[in-house]
Amino acid sequence: MIHAFTLEDSRLNKIEVEEYNSLKEAIWIDLVEPEKSERLRIQREFDVELATRVELEDIESSARFFEDEDGLHIHTFYYFEDSDDRPKTSTVAFTIKDGRLYTLREDELPAFRLYRLRSRSQKMISGNPYELMLDLFETKIEQIADEIEYVYSKLEDPSRIIMERRQGEELDEALSFLAEFEDIGWKVRLCLMDSQRALNFLVRRARLPSEQLEQAREILRDIESLLPYNESLFQKVNFLMQAAMGFVNIEQSRIIKIFSVVSVIFLPPTLVASSYGMNFDFMPELNWTYGYPAAIGLMIIAGIAPYLFFKRKKWL
């Protein structure tokens, strides 16, 4: 799919790609899961080389941030949640050539959708592709900041469950939340560090206009302020996971201790019964009419009673 935008009155205006034989007026061309024919059309019409799927997955800095005869190339991670609400990252390839921004991505990302909505009412200052790209970086950092705030706000409930040493379904749910939050924290950190590397490359190597250079530095300062928060979040999640595992181990040790004590208490009577209990000529129970049913009932009670006791104690 191809989205194309022109600049009118310092605002982005989306154009219908199918109605245009040429997209030369577009300042931003956004390709989302493009078909082969769409890729070829853009490459042929604008003489630009778009990143391949293999290049999008490359993590070497020299393959993610570089400048050549085809323009400036930046590949960076964006955070999003899939249809099952699972946290994921997706690489977006930015290319700037001949005063035009090209973006290539394999997923529909919230940051892009949010920026398109904002662009309807907000005017651009410089109206160049560098400002467009940095605005998309700003939107990504804002989304990440919101995600960090969300995780912080949701950590209170599992933290209280673990510190109060609750058991059962509540603890299982808390551990599930912590595992999800740890995954979110790791992916958020990956996006922040990758964005930091990309912006440092832009500041050092790219010939940014003065206004965009200051904008890039401002985004870098925002990233530097978010990294300690994310690190603190990551440490808190790890602490709660370790605390939960510690409490579970302590509880299991206490239960095993009870079983050990009970085993030691009943070992001597069991030894005596097994050694001498069946070696007598006179055993009154042999002549008891209801002895067999009573023994069966006692066996059933002896099997059910410990189960009910363990369940009431929440040891199972």
Side-chain angles (χ1 to χ4, degrees):
M1 182 182 297
I2 299 176
H3 302 290
F5 300 84
T6 59
L7 199 61
E8 295 182 5
D9 191 25
S10 298
R11 290 188 178 92
L12 287 178
N13 180 47
K14 186 176 181 179
I15 60 177
E16 295 297 331
V17 177
E18 291 77 9
E19 298 177 3
Y20 278 71
N21 295 324
S22 173
L23 298 175
K24 295 292 185 181
E25 298 178 2
I27 187 176
W28 177 22
I29 297 177
D30 182 27
L31 294 94
V32 185
E33 294 185 276
E35 298 178 359
K36 185 177 181 180
S37 59
E38 294 174 329
R39 288 177 60 96
L40 291 175
R41 174 188 177 184
I42 298 301
Q43 291 182 152
R44 183 175 57 252
E45 187 168 339
F46 296 98
D47 189 26
V48 62
E49 190 67 28
L50 299 175
T52 64
R53 183 182 294 272
V54 175
E55 291 172 338
L56 287 177
E57 296 175 354
D58 203 329
I59 62 173
E60 289 289 337
S61 60
S62 59
R64 295 180 70 81
F65 324 116
F66 61 95
E67 195 169 7
D68 58 13
E69 64 275 5
D70 286 320
L72 175 68
H73 304 271
I74 300 291
H75 299 175
T76 183
F77 291 116
Y78 271 71
Y79 175 86
F80 75 106
E81 294 180 354
D82 63 12
S83 57
D84 297 324
D85 294 331
R86 291 177 298 186
K88 286 192 173 183
T89 59
S90 179
T91 300
V92 177
F94 292 88
T95 300
I96 295 179
K97 182 181 181 183
D98 299 332
R100 188 176 290 109
L101 173 66
Y102 305 88
T103 54
L104 175 65
R105 50 200 173 96
E106 296 295 326
D107 300 282
E108 186 59 57
L109 302 173
F112 277 70
R113 186 165 57 249
L114 177 59
Y115 180 68
R116 290 199 301 266
L117 290 174
R118 288 180 176 177
S119 64
R120 297 176 184 174
S121 58
Q122 293 182 353
K123 286 188 175 183
M124 298 182 65
I125 299 174
S126 302
N128 59 51
Y130 295 101
E131 183 181 5
L132 262 173
M133 181 174 63
L134 291 173
D135 284 348
L136 287 167
F137 267 89
E138 277 187 344
T139 308
K140 171 171 69 168
I141 301 306
E142 289 176 9
Q143 179 203 3
I144 288 175
D146 291 340
E147 197 65 33
I148 293 174
E149 290 179 1
Y150 166 77
V151 174
Y152 263 111
S153 66
K154 293 296 183 181
L155 266 181
E156 185 63 29
D157 290 338
S159 177
R160 185 170 60 253
I161 290 171
I162 291 171
M163 290 307 168
E164 292 177 359
R165 300 193 183 188
R166 300 183 193 175
Q167 300 293 323
E169 294 183 0
E170 284 186 317
L171 180 61
D172 294 341
E173 187 175 350
L175 292 175
S176 177
F177 276 125
L178 288 178
E180 180 182 349
F181 293 156
E182 186 175 29
D183 192 27
I184 292 174
W186 180 82
K187 287 181 169 61
V188 163
R189 181 176 178 81
L190 176 65
C191 290
L192 286 174
M193 295 181 66
D194 183 74
S195 300
Q196 192 177 46
R197 293 169 63 201
L199 291 169
N200 280 327
F201 172 83
L202 287 173
V203 170
R204 292 196 314 266
R205 302 286 297 276
R207 294 179 292 276
L208 293 176
S210 58
E211 291 180 346
Q212 276 66 64
L213 183 61
E214 181 57 33
Q215 184 181 7
R217 288 172 176 165
E218 182 65 30
I219 299 173
L220 277 172
R221 286 191 287 269
D222 291 339
I223 293 174
E224 290 171 359
S225 66
L226 286 175
L227 280 171
Y229 282 103
N230 186 69
E231 182 64 26
S232 173
L233 173 68
F234 202 71
Q235 290 178 358
K236 184 173 182 179
V237 170
N238 281 333
F239 165 75
L240 290 174
M241 289 284 284
Q242 293 173 5
M245 293 299 100
F247 291 150
V248 169
N249 290 335
I250 291 172
E251 184 66 19
Q252 288 180 342
S253 298
R254 190 174 66 85
I255 295 171
I256 295 300
K257 178 182 176 181
I258 294 173
F259 280 117
S260 300
V261 171
V262 171
S263 299
V264 171
I265 291 174
F266 285 100
L267 180 60
T270 304
L271 178 62
V272 172
S274 61
S275 300
Y276 302 102
M278 306 296 292
N279 299 323
F280 300 98
D281 292 332
F282 178 70
M283 299 181 69
E285 291 84 356
L286 295 176
N287 298 319
W288 187 19
T289 305
Y290 300 102
Y292 179 74
I296 295 297
L298 187 60
M299 291 169 60
I300 295 174
I301 294 173
I304 295 176
Y307 171 78
L308 297 177
F309 177 75
F310 295 159
K311 188 174 182 180
R312 186 173 63 85
K313 288 286 189 178
K314 298 183 179 179
W315 290 354
L316 298 177

